């Protein structure tokens, strides 16, 4: 898997410049072109785990609910997920099945995955 260092070496630019481009900070048109070409050639993809460690944001929201069988919940989750996606977030779903033990399991999972928030 290609790293940001690989992109910098291939494009002939600094890691800082490559990082700016990857993180949406404007760079010169020539730098943008060279970085984009290197990303394409090397098949670079952002490492979400590394980004989470650096930014302390996982861009994930945990959704804890009693039952997937309830159609009301299904409709709410569908809308919530759409809104989250529009804002760059993903959803992590956990069904408690009305069990306090499973609720604790779900919350523990959300803590372990460093979710940014929980819908309950």
């Amino acid at each position: 898997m290609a790293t940001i260092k690989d992109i910098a070496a291939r494009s002939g630019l600094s890691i800082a410049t490559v990082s700016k481009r990857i993180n949406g900070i404007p760079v010169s048109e020539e730098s943008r072109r060279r970085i984009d070409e290197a990303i394409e050639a090397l098949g670079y993809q952002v490492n979400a785990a590394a980004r989470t460690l650096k930014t302390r944001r996982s861009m994930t929201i945990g959704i804890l609910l009693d039952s997937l069988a309830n159609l009301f919940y299904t409709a709410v989750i569908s809308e919530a997920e759409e809104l989250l996606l529009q804002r760059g977030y993903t959803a992590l779903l956990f069904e408690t099945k009305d069990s306090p033990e499973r609720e604790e399991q779900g919350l523990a999972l959300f803590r372990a995955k460093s979710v940014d928030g929980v819908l309950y």
Side-chain angles (χ1 to χ4, degrees), residues 32-106:
R32 184 199 60 74
R33 184 190 59 73
R34 289 166 54 186
I35 293 166
D36 289 351
E37 285 176 0
I39 286 171
E40 179 71 26
L42 297 174
Y44 174 80
Q45 291 186 12
V46 172
N47 182 324
R51 180 174 275 179
T52 296
L53 288 173
K54 178 77 173 169
T55 65
R56 296 183 182 252
R57 293 183 64 200
S58 65
M59 300 304 291
T60 303
I61 300 296
I63 301 177
L64 195 65
L65 71 152
D66 295 334
S67 171
L68 285 169
N70 185 322
L71 293 179
F72 174 75
Y73 289 143
T74 306
V76 170
I77 291 167
S78 178
E79 287 298 316
E81 186 177 39
E82 184 62 33
L83 291 170
L84 291 170
L85 285 171
Q86 289 173 9
R87 289 161 178 79
Y89 284 83
T90 57
L92 180 60
L93 184 64
F94 194 92
E95 182 180 26
T96 67
K97 300 183 181 189
D98 295 320
S99 164
E101 293 82 20
R102 283 188 55 91
E103 183 176 316
E104 284 302 317
Q105 287 176 329

Side-chain angles (χ1 to χ4, degrees), residues 14-27:
S14 71
I15 292 171
T17 302
V18 173
S19 178
K20 284 179 182 180
R21 171 68 180 141
I22 290 170
N23 290 300
I25 298 169
V27 296

